[in-house]
Coordinates of all heavy atoms in Angstrom, one line a residue:
A1 N 0.2 16.4 15.1 CA -1.1 15.6 15.0 C -1.2 14.9 13.7 O -1.7 13.8 13.7 CB -2.2 16.6 15.2
I2 N -0.8 15.5 12.6 CA -0.9 14.9 11.3 C 0.0 13.6 11.2 O -0.4 12.6 10.7 CB -0.6 15.9 10.2 CG1 -1.7 16.9 10.1 CG2 -0.5 15.1 8.8 CD1 -1.5 18.0 9.1
D3 N 1.2 13.8 11.7 CA 2.2 12.7 11.7 C 1.6 11.5 12.6 O 1.7 10.3 12.2 CB 3.5 13.1 12.3 CG 4.3 14.0 11.3 OD1 4.1 13.8 10.1 OD2 5.1 14.8 11.7
K4 N 1.0 11.8 13.7 CA 0.4 10.8 14.5 C -0.7 10.0 13.8 O -0.8 8.8 13.8 CB -0.2 11.4 15.8 CG -0.7 10.4 16.8 CD -1.2 11.1 18.0 CE -1.8 10.1 19.0 NZ -2.3 10.7 20.2
Q5 N -1.5 10.8 13.0 CA -2.6 10.2 12.2 C -2.0 9.3 11.1 O -2.5 8.3 10.8 CB -3.5 11.3 11.7 CG -4.7 10.8 11.0 CD -5.6 11.9 10.5 OE1 -5.2 13.1 10.5 NE2 -6.8 11.5 10.0
L6 N -0.9 9.8 10.5 CA -0.3 9.1 9.4 C 0.2 7.7 9.9 O 0.1 6.7 9.3 CB 0.9 9.9 8.8 CG 0.5 10.9 7.7 CD1 1.7 11.7 7.4 CD2 -0.1 10.2 6.5
V7 N 0.9 7.8 11.1 CA 1.4 6.5 11.7 C 0.3 5.6 12.0 O 0.4 4.4 11.7 CB 2.2 6.8 12.9 CG1 2.6 5.5 13.7 CG2 3.5 7.6 12.6
S8 N -0.8 6.0 12.5 CA -2.0 5.2 12.8 C -2.5 4.6 11.5 O -2.8 3.4 11.5 CB -3.0 6.0 13.5 OG -4.2 5.3 13.7
L9 N -2.7 5.4 10.5 CA -3.2 4.9 9.2 C -2.3 3.9 8.5 O -2.7 2.9 8.0 CB -3.5 6.1 8.3 CG -4.7 7.0 8.7 CD1 -4.7 8.2 7.8 CD2 -6.0 6.2 8.6
L10 N -1.0 4.1 8.6 CA 0.0 3.2 8.1 C -0.1 1.9 8.8 O 0.0 0.8 8.2 CB 1.4 3.8 8.1 CG 1.7 4.9 7.1 CD1 3.0 5.5 7.4 CD2 1.7 4.3 5.7
N11 N -0.2 1.9 10.1 CA -0.3 0.7 10.9 C -1.6 0.0 10.5 O -1.7 -1.3 10.4 CB -0.2 0.9 12.4 CG 1.3 1.0 12.8 OD1 2.1 0.1 12.5 ND2 1.6 2.1 13.4
E12 N -2.7 0.7 10.4 CA -4.0 0.1 10.0 C -3.9 -0.5 8.6 O -4.3 -1.7 8.4 CB -5.1 1.2 9.9 CG -6.4 0.7 9.6 CD -7.5 1.8 9.5 OE1 -7.3 2.9 10.1 OE2 -8.6 1.5 9.0
R13 N -3.2 0.1 7.7 CA -3.0 -0.4 6.3 C -2.1 -1.7 6.4 O -2.4 -2.7 5.7 CB -2.3 0.6 5.4 CG -2.3 0.2 4.0 CD -1.5 1.1 3.1 NE -1.9 1.0 1.7 CZ -1.6 -0.1 0.9 NH1 -1.0 -1.1 1.5 NH2 -2.0 -0.1 -0.3
A14 N -1.1 -1.7 7.3 CA -0.3 -2.9 7.4 C -1.1 -4.1 8.0 O -0.9 -5.2 7.5 CB 0.9 -2.6 8.4
G15 N -2.0 -3.8 8.9 CA -2.9 -4.9 9.4 C -3.7 -5.5 8.3 O -3.9 -6.7 8.2
H16 N -4.3 -4.6 7.4 CA -5.1 -5.1 6.3 C -4.2 -5.9 5.3 O -4.6 -6.9 4.8 CB -5.8 -4.0 5.6 CG -6.9 -3.3 6.4 ND1 -8.0 -4.0 6.9 CD2 -7.0 -2.1 6.9 CE1 -8.8 -3.2 7.6 NE2 -8.2 -2.0 7.6
S17 N -3.0 -5.4 5.1 CA -2.1 -6.1 4.2 C -1.8 -7.5 4.7 O -1.7 -8.4 3.9 CB -0.8 -5.3 4.0 OG -1.0 -4.1 3.4
L18 N -1.6 -7.6 6.0 CA -1.3 -8.9 6.6 C -2.5 -9.8 6.5 O -2.3 -11.0 6.2 CB -0.9 -8.8 8.1 CG 0.5 -8.1 8.3 CD1 0.7 -7.9 9.8 CD2 1.6 -9.0 7.8
D19 N -3.7 -9.3 6.6 CA -4.9 -10.1 6.5 C -5.0 -10.6 5.0 O -5.3 -11.8 4.8 CB -6.1 -9.3 6.8 CG -6.3 -9.0 8.3 OD1 -5.6 -9.6 9.1 OD2 -7.0 -8.0 8.6
I20 N -4.8 -9.8 4.1 CA -4.8 -10.1 2.7 C -3.7 -11.1 2.3 O -4.0 -12.1 1.7 CB -4.7 -8.9 1.8 CG1 -6.0 -8.1 2.0 CG2 -4.5 -9.3 0.3 CD1 -5.9 -6.7 1.4
R21 N -2.5 -10.9 2.9 CA -1.4 -11.8 2.6 C -1.7 -13.2 3.1 O -1.4 -14.2 2.4 CB -0.1 -11.3 3.3 CG 1.1 -12.2 3.0 CD 2.2 -11.9 3.9 NE 2.7 -10.5 3.9 CZ 3.6 -10.0 4.7 NH1 4.1 -10.8 5.6 NH2 3.9 -8.8 4.7
A22 N -2.4 -13.3 4.2 CA -2.7 -14.6 4.8 C -3.7 -15.4 3.9 O -3.7 -16.6 3.9 CB -3.3 -14.5 6.2
L23 N -4.5 -14.7 3.1 CA -5.5 -15.3 2.2 C -4.9 -15.7 0.9 O -5.5 -16.6 0.2 CB -6.7 -14.4 2.0 CG -7.5 -13.9 3.2 CD1 -8.5 -12.9 2.8 CD2 -8.2 -15.1 3.8
K24 N -3.8 -15.2 0.5 CA -3.3 -15.4 -0.9 C -2.9 -16.8 -1.2 O -3.2 -17.3 -2.2 CB -2.1 -14.4 -1.2 CG -2.7 -13.0 -1.4 CD -1.6 -12.1 -1.9 CE -2.2 -10.8 -2.3 NZ -1.2 -9.9 -2.9
P25 N -2.2 -17.5 -0.2 CA -1.8 -18.9 -0.6 C -3.0 -19.8 -0.8 O -3.0 -20.6 -1.8 CB -1.0 -19.4 0.7 CG -0.5 -18.1 1.3 CD -1.6 -17.1 1.0
E26 N -4.1 -19.6 0.0 CA -5.3 -20.5 -0.2 C -5.9 -20.1 -1.5 O -6.5 -21.0 -2.2 CB -6.2 -20.2 1.0 CG -7.5 -21.0 1.0 CD -8.4 -20.7 2.1 OE1 -7.8 -20.6 3.3 OE2 -9.6 -20.6 1.9
A27 N -5.8 -18.9 -1.9 CA -6.4 -18.5 -3.2 C -5.5 -18.7 -4.4 O -5.8 -18.3 -5.5 CB -6.8 -17.0 -3.2
K28 N -4.3 -19.3 -4.1 CA -3.3 -19.6 -5.1 C -2.8 -18.4 -5.8 O -2.7 -18.3 -7.0 CB -3.8 -20.7 -6.1 CG -4.1 -22.0 -5.4 CD -4.4 -23.1 -6.4 CE -4.7 -24.4 -5.9 NZ -4.8 -24.8 -4.6
M29 N -2.7 -17.3 -5.0 CA -2.2 -16.0 -5.5 C -0.8 -15.8 -5.0 O -0.5 -16.1 -3.9 CB -3.1 -14.9 -5.1 CG -4.5 -15.0 -5.6 SD -5.6 -13.7 -4.9 CE -4.8 -12.2 -5.6
G30 N 0.0 -15.2 -5.9 CA 1.4 -14.8 -5.5 C 1.3 -13.6 -4.5 O 0.4 -12.9 -4.5
L31 N 2.4 -13.4 -3.8 CA 2.5 -12.2 -2.9 C 2.7 -10.9 -3.7 O 2.2 -9.9 -3.2 CB 3.6 -12.4 -1.9 CG 3.4 -13.6 -0.9 CD1 4.5 -13.6 0.1 CD2 2.1 -13.4 -0.1
F32 N 3.3 -11.0 -4.8 CA 3.5 -9.8 -5.6 C 2.7 -9.8 -6.9 O 2.7 -10.8 -7.6 CB 5.0 -9.7 -6.0 CG 5.3 -8.5 -6.9 CD1 5.1 -7.2 -6.5 CD2 5.7 -8.8 -8.2 CE1 5.4 -6.1 -7.3 CE2 6.0 -7.7 -9.0 CZ 5.9 -6.4 -8.6
D33 N 1.9 -8.8 -7.1 CA 1.0 -8.7 -8.3 C 1.2 -7.3 -8.9 O 0.6 -6.3 -8.4 CB -0.4 -8.9 -7.9 CG -1.4 -8.8 -9.0 OD1 -0.9 -8.5 -10.2 OD2 -2.6 -9.1 -8.8
P34 N 2.1 -7.2 -9.9 CA 2.4 -5.9 -10.5 C 1.2 -5.2 -11.0 O 1.1 -3.9 -10.9 CB 3.4 -6.1 -11.6 CG 3.6 -7.6 -11.7 CD 2.9 -8.2 -10.5
K35 N 0.2 -5.9 -11.5 CA -1.0 -5.3 -12.1 C -1.8 -4.6 -10.9 O -2.3 -3.5 -11.1 CB -1.8 -6.4 -12.8 CG -3.1 -5.8 -13.4 CD -3.9 -6.9 -14.0 CE -5.3 -6.3 -14.5 NZ -6.2 -7.3 -15.0
R36 N -1.9 -5.3 -9.8 CA -2.6 -4.7 -8.7 C -1.9 -3.5 -8.1 O -2.5 -2.5 -7.8 CB -2.7 -5.8 -7.5 CG -3.4 -5.3 -6.3 CD -4.8 -4.9 -6.5 NE -5.4 -4.3 -5.3 CZ -6.1 -3.2 -5.3 NH1 -6.4 -2.6 -6.4 NH2 -6.5 -2.8 -4.1
E37 N -0.5 -3.5 -8.1 CA 0.2 -2.3 -7.7 C -0.1 -1.1 -8.6 O -0.3 0.0 -8.1 CB 1.7 -2.6 -7.6 CG 2.0 -3.5 -6.4 CD 3.4 -3.5 -5.9 OE1 4.2 -2.8 -6.5 OE2 3.7 -4.3 -5.0
E38 N -0.2 -1.4 -9.9 CA -0.5 -0.3 -10.8 C -1.9 0.2 -10.6 O -2.1 1.4 -10.7 CB -0.3 -0.8 -12.3 CG 1.1 -0.8 -12.8 CD 1.8 0.5 -12.7 OE1 1.2 1.6 -13.0 OE2 3.0 0.5 -12.4
E39 N -2.8 -0.7 -10.3 CA -4.2 -0.2 -9.9 C -4.2 0.7 -8.7 O -4.9 1.7 -8.6 CB -5.1 -1.4 -9.7 CG -5.4 -2.2 -10.9 CD -6.1 -3.5 -10.6 OE1 -6.3 -3.9 -9.4 OE2 -6.4 -4.3 -11.6
I40 N -3.3 0.3 -7.7 CA -3.2 1.1 -6.5 C -2.7 2.5 -6.8 O -3.2 3.5 -6.4 CB -2.4 0.4 -5.4 CG1 -3.1 -0.8 -4.9 CG2 -2.0 1.4 -4.3 CD1 -2.2 -1.7 -4.1
F41 N -1.6 2.6 -7.6 CA -1.0 3.8 -8.0 C -2.0 4.7 -8.8 O -2.1 5.9 -8.5 CB 0.2 3.6 -8.9 CG 1.4 2.9 -8.2 CD1 2.1 2.0 -8.9 CD2 1.7 3.2 -6.9 CE1 3.2 1.4 -8.3 CE2 2.8 2.6 -6.3 CZ 3.5 1.6 -7.0
T42 N -2.7 4.1 -9.7 CA -3.7 4.8 -10.5 C -4.8 5.4 -9.5 O -5.2 6.6 -9.7 CB -4.4 3.9 -11.5 OG1 -3.3 3.5 -12.4 CG2 -5.4 4.7 -12.3
K43 N -5.3 4.6 -8.6 CA -6.3 5.1 -7.7 C -5.8 6.2 -6.8 O -6.5 7.2 -6.6 CB -6.8 3.9 -6.9 CG -8.0 4.3 -6.0 CD -8.5 3.1 -5.2 CE -9.3 2.2 -6.0 NZ -10.0 1.1 -5.3
V44 N -4.7 6.0 -6.2 CA -4.1 7.0 -5.4 C -3.9 8.3 -6.1 O -4.3 9.4 -5.6 CB -2.7 6.5 -4.8 CG1 -2.0 7.7 -4.1 CG2 -3.0 5.4 -3.8
C45 N -3.4 8.3 -7.3 CA -3.2 9.5 -8.1 C -4.5 10.1 -8.5 O -4.6 11.4 -8.6 CB -2.4 9.2 -9.4 SG -0.6 8.8 -9.0
S46 N -5.6 9.4 -8.6 CA -6.9 10.0 -8.9 C -7.4 10.8 -7.7 O -8.3 11.7 -8.0 CB -7.9 8.9 -9.3 OG -8.4 8.2 -8.1
Y47 N -6.9 10.6 -6.5 CA -7.3 11.3 -5.4 C -6.5 12.6 -5.2 O -6.9 13.5 -4.4 CB -7.1 10.5 -4.1 CG -7.8 9.2 -4.0 CD1 -7.2 8.1 -3.3 CD2 -9.1 9.0 -4.6 CE1 -7.9 6.9 -3.3 CE2 -9.7 7.7 -4.5 CZ -9.1 6.7 -3.8 OH -9.7 5.5 -3.7
N48 N -5.4 12.7 -6.0 CA -4.5 13.8 -5.8 C -5.0 15.2 -6.2 O -5.5 15.3 -7.3 CB -3.2 13.5 -6.6 CG -2.1 14.5 -6.2 OD1 -2.1 15.1 -5.2 ND2 -1.1 14.5 -7.1
E49 N -5.0 16.1 -5.3 CA -5.4 17.5 -5.5 C -4.2 18.4 -5.3 O -4.4 19.6 -5.3 CB -6.6 17.9 -4.6 CG -7.8 17.1 -4.9 CD -9.0 17.4 -4.0 OE1 -8.9 18.4 -3.2 OE2 -10.0 16.8 -4.2
G50 N -3.0 17.9 -5.2 CA -1.8 18.7 -5.0 C -1.7 19.2 -3.6 O -2.6 19.0 -2.8
P51 N -0.6 19.7 -3.3 CA 0.5 20.2 -4.1 C 1.5 19.1 -4.6 O 2.3 19.4 -5.4 CB 1.2 21.3 -3.3 CG 1.0 20.8 -1.9 CD -0.3 20.1 -1.9
L52 N 1.4 17.9 -4.0 CA 2.2 16.8 -4.5 C 1.9 16.4 -5.9 O 0.8 16.5 -6.4 CB 2.1 15.6 -3.6 CG 2.6 15.7 -2.2 CD1 2.2 14.4 -1.4 CD2 4.0 15.9 -2.1
Y53 N 2.9 16.1 -6.7 CA 2.8 15.6 -8.0 C 2.4 14.1 -8.0 O 2.8 13.4 -7.0 CB 4.0 15.8 -8.9 CG 4.3 17.3 -9.2 CD1 5.4 17.9 -8.5 CD2 3.6 18.0 -10.0 CE1 5.7 19.2 -8.8 CE2 3.9 19.3 -10.3 CZ 4.9 19.9 -9.6 OH 5.2 21.2 -9.9
N54 N 1.8 13.6 -9.0 CA 1.5 12.2 -9.0 C 2.8 11.3 -8.9 O 2.7 10.3 -8.3 CB 0.7 11.8 -10.3 CG -0.7 12.3 -10.3 OD1 -1.2 12.6 -9.2 ND2 -1.3 12.2 -11.4
E55 N 3.8 11.8 -9.5 CA 5.1 11.1 -9.4 C 5.6 11.0 -7.9 O 6.2 10.0 -7.5 CB 6.2 11.8 -10.2 CG 5.9 11.7 -11.7 CD 5.0 12.8 -12.2 OE1 4.7 13.8 -11.5 OE2 4.4 12.7 -13.3
N56 N 5.3 12.1 -7.2 CA 5.7 12.0 -5.7 C 4.9 11.0 -5.0 O 5.4 10.2 -4.2 CB 5.4 13.4 -5.1 CG 6.2 14.5 -5.7 OD1 5.5 15.6 -6.0 ND2 7.4 14.4 -6.0
L57 N 3.6 10.9 -5.3 CA 2.7 9.9 -4.6 C 3.1 8.5 -5.0 O 3.1 7.6 -4.2 CB 1.2 10.2 -5.0 CG 0.6 11.4 -4.4 CD1 -0.8 11.6 -4.9 CD2 0.6 11.3 -2.9
R58 N 3.5 8.3 -6.3 CA 3.9 7.0 -6.7 C 5.2 6.6 -6.0 O 5.3 5.5 -5.6 CB 4.1 7.0 -8.2 CG 4.5 5.7 -8.8 CD 4.7 5.7 -10.3 NE 5.0 4.4 -10.8 CZ 4.1 3.5 -11.3 NH1 2.9 3.9 -11.4 NH2 4.5 2.3 -11.7
E59 N 6.1 7.5 -5.8 CA 7.3 7.2 -5.1 C 7.0 6.9 -3.6 O 7.6 5.9 -3.1 CB 8.3 8.4 -5.1 CG 9.6 8.2 -4.5 CD 10.5 9.4 -4.6 OE1 10.3 10.3 -5.5 OE2 11.5 9.4 -3.9
I60 N 6.1 7.6 -3.0 CA 5.8 7.3 -1.6 C 5.1 6.0 -1.5 O 5.4 5.2 -0.6 CB 4.8 8.5 -1.1 CG1 5.6 9.8 -0.9 CG2 4.2 8.0 0.3 CD1 4.8 11.0 -0.7
Y61 N 4.2 5.7 -2.4 CA 3.4 4.4 -2.4 C 4.3 3.3 -2.7 O 4.1 2.1 -2.3 CB 2.1 4.5 -3.2 CG 1.0 4.9 -2.3 CD1 0.8 6.2 -1.9 CD2 0.1 3.9 -1.8 CE1 -0.2 6.5 -1.1 CE2 -0.9 4.2 -0.9 CZ -1.1 5.6 -0.6 OH -2.1 5.9 0.3
T62 N 5.3 3.5 -3.6 CA 6.3 2.4 -3.9 C 7.0 2.0 -2.6 O 7.1 0.8 -2.3 CB 7.3 2.9 -5.0 OG1 6.6 3.1 -6.2 CG2 8.3 1.8 -5.2
A63 N 7.4 3.0 -1.8 CA 8.0 2.7 -0.5 C 7.1 2.0 0.4 O 7.4 1.0 1.1 CB 8.6 4.0 0.1
I64 N 5.8 2.5 0.5 CA 4.8 1.9 1.4 C 4.6 0.4 1.0 O 4.6 -0.5 1.9 CB 3.5 2.7 1.4 CG1 3.7 4.0 2.1 CG2 2.4 1.9 2.0 CD1 2.5 5.0 1.9
L65 N 4.4 0.1 -0.2 CA 4.1 -1.2 -0.7 C 5.3 -2.1 -0.4 O 5.2 -3.3 0.0 CB 3.7 -1.2 -2.1 CG 2.4 -0.6 -2.4 CD1 2.1 -0.5 -3.9 CD2 1.2 -1.3 -1.7
K66 N 6.5 -1.6 -0.6 CA 7.7 -2.4 -0.3 C 7.8 -2.8 1.1 O 8.0 -3.9 1.5 CB 9.0 -1.6 -0.7 CG 10.3 -2.3 -0.4 CD 11.5 -1.4 -0.7 CE 12.8 -2.1 -0.4 NZ 13.0 -2.3 1.0
V67 N 7.6 -1.8 2.0 CA 7.6 -2.1 3.4 C 6.5 -3.0 3.8 O 6.7 -3.9 4.6 CB 7.5 -0.7 4.2 CG1 7.3 -1.0 5.7 CG2 8.8 0.1 4.0
M68 N 5.3 -2.9 3.3 CA 4.2 -3.8 3.6 C 4.5 -5.2 3.3 O 4.1 -6.1 4.0 CB 2.9 -3.4 2.9 CG 2.4 -2.0 3.3 SD 1.9 -1.9 5.0 CE 1.8 -0.2 5.3
K69 N 5.3 -5.4 2.2 CA 5.7 -6.8 1.8 C 6.7 -7.4 2.8 O 6.8 -8.6 3.0 CB 6.3 -6.8 0.4 CG 5.4 -6.6 -0.7 CD 6.1 -6.6 -2.0 CE 5.4 -5.6 -2.9 NZ 6.3 -5.1 -4.0
E70 N 7.4 -6.5 3.5 CA 8.5 -6.9 4.5 C 8.0 -7.1 5.9 O 8.7 -7.6 6.7 CB 9.6 -5.9 4.4 CG 10.3 -5.9 3.0 CD 11.3 -4.8 2.9 OE1 11.4 -3.9 3.8 OE2 12.0 -4.7 1.8
V71 N 6.8 -6.6 6.2 CA 6.2 -6.7 7.5 C 6.1 -8.2 7.9 O 5.5 -8.9 7.2 CB 4.9 -6.0 7.7 CG1 4.2 -6.2 9.0 CG2 5.0 -4.5 7.4
P72 N 6.6 -8.5 9.1 CA 6.5 -10.0 9.5 C 5.1 -10.4 9.7 O 4.2 -9.6 10.1 CB 7.3 -10.0 10.8 CG 8.0 -8.7 11.0 CD 7.4 -7.8 10.0
N73 N 4.8 -11.6 9.4 CA 3.5 -12.2 9.7 C 3.1 -12.1 11.1 O 4.0 -12.3 12.0 CB 3.3 -13.6 9.2 CG 3.3 -13.7 7.7 OD1 2.9 -12.8 7.0 ND2 3.8 -14.8 7.1
R74 N 1.9 -12.0 11.5 CA 1.4 -12.1 12.8 C 1.3 -13.5 13.2 O 0.9 -14.4 12.4 CB 0.0 -11.4 13.0 CG 0.0 -9.9 12.7 CD -1.3 -9.4 13.0 NE -2.1 -9.4 11.8 CZ -3.1 -8.6 11.5 NH1 -3.4 -7.7 12.4 NH2 -3.8 -8.7 10.4
D75 N 1.6 -13.8 14.4 CA 1.4 -15.2 14.9 C 0.3 -15.3 15.8 O -0.2 -14.5 16.4 CB 2.7 -15.7 15.6 CG 3.9 -15.8 14.6 OD1 3.6 -16.1 13.4 OD2 5.0 -15.6 15.0

């Protein structure tokens, strides 16, 4: 049940990422913003109550953000 929820949440996040990606060219923003990614890591780690270490969450989120950048645009 937890894995099913995770898949649903990842797909929801991907949808939001695509929406944001579509707005970036009009706003003259690049697709990659290292400062924003650091903000995401900091926020995610602030939610951490364990047993995962912050480094574990950062590794997971690095992979999530990489995949989100590779998701094809919706037509």
Side-chain angles (χ1 to χ4, degrees):
I2 291 172
D3 289 331
K4 183 177 180 180
Q5 186 177 11
L6 278 170
V7 170
S8 177
L9 290 169
L10 287 169
N11 279 306
E12 181 179 344
R13 191 183 198 295
H16 291 298
S17 293
L18 290 171
D19 292 342
I20 292 167
R21 184 192 305 170
L23 298 173
K24 285 187 172 187
E26 185 178 317
K28 297 187 181 0
M29 295 174 68
L31 295 180
F32 175 66
D33 182 352
K35 182 180 174 190
R36 177 66 184 132
E37 287 196 5
E38 281 302 320
E39 290 171 358
I40 291 168
F41 296 141
T42 299
K43 186 179 285 189
V44 166
C45 289
S46 77
Y47 304 145
N48 188 20
E49 296 180 3
L52 293 174
Y53 294 108
N54 286 347
E55 295 81 19
N56 302 132
L57 289 173
R58 186 180 179 97
E59 185 177 344
I60 291 165
Y61 266 79
T62 296
I64 289 171
L65 293 173
K66 178 185 178 293
V67 169
M68 294 299 164
K69 289 178 213 157
E70 296 170 355
V71 172
N73 289 332
R74 296 185 269 208
D75 294 328

